[in-house]
Amino acid sequence: MTGPAALFAKLVGAITLIYTGGGDTLKELELYAPPGAVITTEGDSISCGPAQTCTVTIPELPYSLTLNVTAQPGFDFTGWTASTPSSCTNSTTSCQLTLTQKNFLGNADTEVEKVSVQPTVAAISAEVASSWEYPARVRWTGAELEGDVDYCGVATIRWDAPTTHFDINKDGVDDVILHISCYQSAWPEDPNEPHNSEVIAAWKLFCSQPNEKHYDCTQQIFGSNVINTTGTSSGGGNPYTHVMNKPRDLNGDGYPEFWYALNRDDGRMGLPDSTQEEFNGWVKVFCGESAVDDCTRQSNQSMLISNADGTYQVAFADHLPTNTQAVEVFPNLLGTFDMAMFNYGPYTVSRWTGTEFIDVTEEWAGYDNVNYAFGDVYVHAYNDEATGSTFLVTPNVPESIVGKPRLFKDIARQPDRHLGFTVWRFVPGTGFELSDYHLPDESDLFAAKVSNGTGENDYELQEGVYINGIPTLLPNYYHMKVAKLSDDGDLILFMQQENDGGTTYGRFLKEAINENTIYQISNGNVSDEQGYLSTLITPVQTFTLNNGRLEQTAEPLIEAGYFWNTPGMRFADVNNDGHLDLFGISGQESRGSIHLNNSDGRFVQKRIHEATPPIWFHDRNYASHSIFPLNLDGDTRLDLMFWEFGSTGQRGPEGPGEAAILEGQWEVETFKDFTPASLMAEILECHQTAGWVGGCKIH
C-alpha cells in the first residue's frame, strides 16, 4: 500500500458488564465510545462519547436496554461484535441487550459470562485518520531536507527522535529540531569490515507560525540551510538525544541553549577485537601514523548558543575530538557556565566566556572528588531552584564511600563499586561534595546462570538485583531524569535501568530467579516456558530529592514499574492541568509513549499505538514516529511527527528521507489506559510471534 488512499482506520469501542457485589446489589454497565462515535441508550437517557467511558447503573435483573451509535462527521458506523451471542452480533443497526443474573454471577461468589459488545466505526475519507488529521499536516520531502545539502550525497541517518519542548520564537507553540547525519563515503560491502567513513551533521530547525503550520526556519535562525554541529570537515554527527537535558536559557538573553553528546556511534562495527599490536595497526590506518587513540568514534563537541536577537551560533569546544557519551553544564565563578564532556577516555571541560569556549580541563583536575564525578559516562545534572544548587547523579557507589566491600565481588563488572547511584553537589570553583547515595537491599541481590552461547549446558554467572520485584540481570543505573512534577511538588528522580542481561518477561515477569535454570537472552521467537530474558524491559524507580537528599517513594510512580523499549524520558504538561506528564522516546524504530500524571504524581500509560495511522511516505521499511505534545493550537491534543530513518551504509542507498507533523484530533484523556496486565500480555505475544523483539510496535 502506498499513498494517502491506503489509509482506512478502524476505531473500536467497548461495552463491558462489571460485577460490583453479591446478592441483589446493583450492577454496572460500562460503555466506551471510540473516537468518531457517540453511544446513546433508548430515549437518550445516556449519551457517551466520542472517546469517552460512561457507566450505566443496572437497578434490577433481568434488565433490557437498546444501544444506538451515531457516527461523527468523517466516520461511518460499520457494525457490532459481541463476545457472546446476542442480537448485536453482526448488526449494523441498534444493539438490544437483555441482561440476566448469569451475565454477572454463576454462584454466590463466581463471576461468569461477562458480556463484551463492541461498536466499530471507520474513517470514510482517505484524508481523515483515527486520531491525527492528514489535511492538517506539514510535510517535508527528502529534497527539502538533506537533499539540498551538498555533503549529503551518499546516505543519511536519523539517529534518534527529534528534539522538541522548546519555543525559540516565543509564540507558545513548540519548535522542533530534526537530527540528520550524512555519510561522506560508502561503507565497505562487508559491514563488519572496519572503516572510517566521515559522518557530518545536517540538522534542521522547524519553527511554528501563528495559526499555521511549522516551516523550515534553519536559514533564518542559523544563517545556513542546515545546522552543522560537527564542523564542515569532521565526522561524528550522531547525537545521543535520549540523554539530553531539556533546553534552557544559560546566557540570560531569554532564549534556550542546546547541549548534547556527539559521537561516531552510527551503526558501524567498532575496530575488531584483536591483539594490541593489531589494534595499533588499525589505528594507524584510519587515524594516521602518529595516532595512539582510536579516532573512529571521536567527534568535535559543540553547543547551540543564542544571540541576543534570537539567532543562533554553533559554538565549538576548544579541545581535540572526543568519544563522548554525555555533556552537562555547570555554573562557574565568572557568572557563565562550563561544559563538561563525559568521555570514553579522559574527561574534558570548556568554559564559555561570552564569545567563545576556552579549555579549563586542567583547572577542573584540581577540583574535589572530580575522579568520582567522572568515574562513569552515564550521568545527569540538575538544578535545584529552591536552593540554587546544581547536582550531579552518577551510577554506582564507590566502596570507599560505603565503607564495606560489595557482594558478588568475584563476578561483578566493577568490583570496587556497589550497585546503586550517587548524588553530588557541585560547588563552583571547588568541586563536588557527596550529597547522598542509594544502594539496593542486600537481600535483593542474586547471581544467575546465563547461557554463554557455546553449548547447551554452558553458562556464566551474572549478578542481578530485584527491582520492583523484577529480577534484573547486569543492572545499569544509567538513564535518569529529574523533574518537578507540579509547582508546589518535590523534585522527583526517575532512575531507569539499562539491562545488559535482561529480565524475565510475560507471565514470568516477577518469577524468582531459579538457581538451577540456565537463562537465554531472547532476540527472536520463544516458546511459552520459563528461562528466557528480555533486555527491553527496564524497571523504573522513583525518589524524592530535597536539597540533594534521597527518599525512595513507597511505590514506583510509573504504574507498571517498568518501561518497554524506552531508553529516553521527557516531561511536559500534556493536558494543561498543572502537572508534568511523561512521554517516552523509544529505541529502534521510535514509537513513543505517553504516561499521564493523575495529579497525585502517579503515571498511567495511555494506549496510543492502536490509533496510529500508517506511514504513507514511500512504503519504506525504516520509518519512525513519535508522539509530542507540540501545543500546535494551544490545546491538549497529542500531535504526531513522522520521520524516515534515511539509510546507513548497511541498508543501502535509499535516498533522502521525508518528515511530517500531523495535528492531533483528540484530547489525550480520551485514549484508553494501557494497563500493566495488557502491556505485559502484548510483550509476551511479541516474544512469541514477532521475531526480533525490538520491532514490536506496542507503545
Side-chain angles (χ1 to χ4, degrees):
M1 295 189 301
T2 59
L7 176 64
F8 187 78
K10 286 188 174 182
L11 303 171
V12 179
I15 300 172
T16 305
L17 302 179
I18 302 172
Y19 171 60
T20 59
D24 296 326
T25 57
L26 299 179
K27 312 320 189 269
E28 291 179 344
L29 176 69
E30 187 175 272
L31 309 176
Y32 173 71
V38 175
I39 300 176
T40 59
T41 57
E42 195 73 18
D44 293 336
S45 59
I46 294 291
S47 181
C48 186
Q52 288 183 343
T53 299
C54 308
T55 299
V56 180
T57 299
I58 310 300
E60 60 184 7
L61 296 172
Y63 185 78
S64 298
L65 75 166
T66 300
L67 301 172
N68 300 300
V69 173
T70 303
Q72 301 299 286
F75 296 89
D76 186 27
F77 173 56
T78 59
W80 300 87
T81 60
S83 62
T84 57
S86 73
S87 63
C88 301
T89 305
N90 299 320
S91 173
T92 56
T93 57
S94 298
C95 173
Q96 296 177 339
L97 291 177
T98 299
L99 309 177
T100 66
Q101 189 71 18
K102 74 173 185 177
N103 297 129
F104 296 90
L105 292 173
N107 54 48
D109 301 307
T110 304
E111 180 182 331
V112 300
E113 202 174 345
K114 280 190 174 182
V115 174
S116 177
V117 186
Q118 296 182 339
T120 302
V121 297
I124 60 175
S125 168
E127 294 292 316
V128 179
S130 59
S131 296
W132 291 274
E133 187 180 359
Y134 279 76
R137 70 179 181 263
V138 56
R139 175 181 179 184
W140 298 277
T141 67
E144 296 172 292
L145 298 176
E146 60 264 34
D148 70 343
V149 185
D150 56 5
Y151 58 79
C152 288
V154 177
T156 58
I157 181 175
R158 314 289 174 77
W159 176 242
D160 218 333
T163 295
T164 184
H165 300 296
F166 64 90
D167 184 11
I168 285 180
N169 55 14
K170 303 181 181 181
D171 65 351
V173 178
D174 287 346
D175 307 311
V176 180
I177 291 178
L178 183 65
H179 305 279
I180 304 170
S181 301
C182 301
Y183 294 98
Q184 302 306 292
S185 60
W187 281 22
E189 291 187 6
D190 180 2
N192 295 318
E193 181 180 338
H195 65 93
N196 192 29
S197 176
E198 296 289 313
V199 184
I200 301 179
W203 300 3
K204 288 282 191 178
L205 172 64
F206 305 125
C207 295
S208 59
Q209 305 176 84
N211 302 316
E212 295 185 31
K213 301 170 182 177
H214 282 68
Y215 70 102
D216 184 351
C217 59
T218 314
Q219 181 71 45
Q220 171 188 340
I221 302 299
F222 284 88
S224 58
N225 63 337
V226 293
I227 308 168
N228 187 344
T229 57
T230 52
T232 57
S233 61
S234 66
N238 289 325
Y240 277 158
T241 60
H242 61 287
V243 297
M244 282 179 65
N245 267 309
K246 182 179 180 180
R248 71 174 190 273
D249 184 12
L250 298 178
N251 59 6
D253 64 1
Y255 298 96
E257 270 62 54
F258 301 79
W259 57 102
Y260 36 79
L262 297 174
N263 54 40
R264 304 284 290 281
D265 190 0
D266 53 23
R268 75 176 68 195
M269 300 295 292
L271 295 185
D273 293 333
S274 56
T275 66
Q276 188 63 48
E277 183 179 359
E278 292 171 328
F279 181 85
N280 292 340
W282 285 112
V283 169
K284 293 185 183 301
V285 168
F286 294 124
C287 307
E289 282 295 322
S290 61
V292 295
D293 297 322
D294 178 14
C295 66
T296 65
R297 295 287 177 176
Q298 297 174 345
S299 307
N300 291 334
Q301 302 302 316
S302 63
M303 180 182 291
L304 307 183
I305 296 181
S306 61
N307 304 311
D309 60 358
T311 61
Y312 276 75
Q313 61 176 303
V314 181
F316 291 91
D318 60 337
H319 51 73
L320 295 174
T322 52
N323 183 0
T324 302
Q325 172 65 44
V327 171
E328 297 292 354
V329 294
F330 298 90
N332 56 44
L333 295 176
L334 300 180
T336 60
F337 56 88
D338 293 353
M339 179 172 65
M341 275 67 68
F342 294 78
N343 307 321
Y344 294 97
Y347 65 87
T348 48
V349 186
S350 288
R351 177 166 295 159
W352 181 248
T353 66
T355 57
E356 62 179 349
F357 279 111
I358 61 173
D359 187 1
V360 291
T361 305
E362 185 174 348
E363 175 187 324
W364 273 60
Y367 283 4
D368 296 339
N369 295 315
V370 69
N371 291 330
Y372 285 149
F374 287 93
D376 205 300
V377 296
Y378 289 85
V379 300
H380 178 66
Y382 71 94
N383 293 327
D384 187 341
E385 295 181 356
T387 63
S389 297
T390 298
F391 294 88
L392 180 71
V393 187
T394 60
N396 305 308
V397 187
E399 276 190 339
S400 57
I401 291 176
V402 179
K404 64 178 181 180
R406 64 166 297 173
L407 294 180
F408 301 107
K409 196 180 193 65
D410 56 335
I411 61 172
R413 292 181 294 180
Q414 301 186 69
D416 61 338
R417 300 183 185 186
H418 290 262
L419 294 176
F421 62 91
T422 310
V423 182
W424 304 90
R425 183 194 304 271
F426 179 73
V427 182
T430 299
F432 296 91
E433 299 176 348
L434 177 65
S435 184
D436 206 349
Y437 62 86
H438 169 77
L439 302 176
D441 292 338
E442 289 190 354
S443 60
D444 287 330
L445 302 176
F446 64 86
K449 298 176 181 177
V450 179
S451 173
N452 58 18
T454 60
E456 183 177 354
N457 296 314
D458 295 329
Y459 65 88
E460 63 180 24
L461 282 176
Q462 293 183 0
E463 65 175 342
V465 59
Y466 288 95
I467 300 175
N468 303 335
I470 302 170
T472 306
L473 275 295
L474 299 182
N476 294 305
Y477 293 78
Y478 281 174
H479 295 299
M480 54 201 85
K481 283 288 187 292
V482 173
K484 191 175 184 180
L485 303 180
S486 61
D487 290 340
D488 59 352
D490 296 317
L491 285 172
I492 303 293
L493 169 65
F494 292 75
M495 177 58 67
Q496 180 190 354
Q497 289 296 317
E498 178 177 271
N499 294 333
D500 286 339
T503 69
T504 51
Y505 72 93
R507 61 190 177 94
F508 309 113
L509 175 66
K510 296 187 178 182
E511 185 81 10
I513 290 293
N514 188 324
E515 63 181 12
N516 298 316
T517 298
I518 299 177
Y519 291 89
Q520 308 284 330
I521 300 293
S522 166
N523 287 318
N525 296 351
V526 302
S527 60
D528 186 15
E529 56 187 54
Q530 299 184 54
Y532 292 97
L533 304 170
S534 170
T535 59
L536 297 178
I537 297 172
T538 53
V540 182
Q541 297 168 282
T542 47
F543 303 79
T544 60
L545 284 166
N546 185 359
N547 197 21
R549 301 291 295 176
L550 292 160
E551 183 176 349
Q552 189 166 0
T553 61
E555 298 289 337
L557 300 183
I558 305 299
E559 184 182 33
Y562 63 90
F563 291 140
W564 165 259
N565 194 22
T566 306
M569 294 175 280
R570 296 287 187 270
F571 295 89
D573 186 2
V574 174
N575 53 0
N576 290 333
D577 65 352
H579 302 275
L580 292 187
D581 308 292
L582 185 154
F583 65 99
I585 298 176
S586 307
Q588 285 86 37
E589 294 187 14
S590 298
R591 301 287 157 182
S593 57
I594 289 290
H595 302 254
L596 278 191
N597 189 332
N598 64 3
S599 300
D600 66 358
R602 295 183 63 84
F603 291 84
V604 176
Q605 186 171 355
K606 305 303 288 188
R607 196 178 186 96
I608 60 176
H609 62 286
E610 294 175 332
T612 303
I615 299 173
W616 40 261
F617 299 119
H618 294 303
D619 200 22
R620 284 190 183 175
N621 294 323
Y622 308 110
S624 296
H625 63 262
S626 202
I627 311 297
F628 295 115
L630 294 175
N631 296 318
L632 295 178
D633 303 308
D635 54 30
T636 60
R637 297 178 295 196
L638 291 176
D639 306 299
L640 184 72
M641 185 167 184
F642 286 141
W643 66 98
E644 290 176 314
F645 274 172
S647 60
T648 69
Q650 291 177 313
R651 295 171 179 159
E654 295 185 349
E658 300 190 9
I661 296 174
L662 308 183
E663 295 184 18
Q665 299 301 295
W666 307 106
E667 306 294 321
V668 63
E669 286 92 346
T670 63
F671 291 91
K672 297 170 64 176
D673 292 349
F674 204 171
T675 65
S678 59
L679 173 61
M680 186 48 58
E682 294 198 22
I683 293 173
L684 179 60
E685 181 182 6
C686 171
H687 275 271
Q688 293 177 340
T689 63
W692 185 59
V693 297
C696 298
K697 301 172 177 60
I698 57 174
H699 298 283

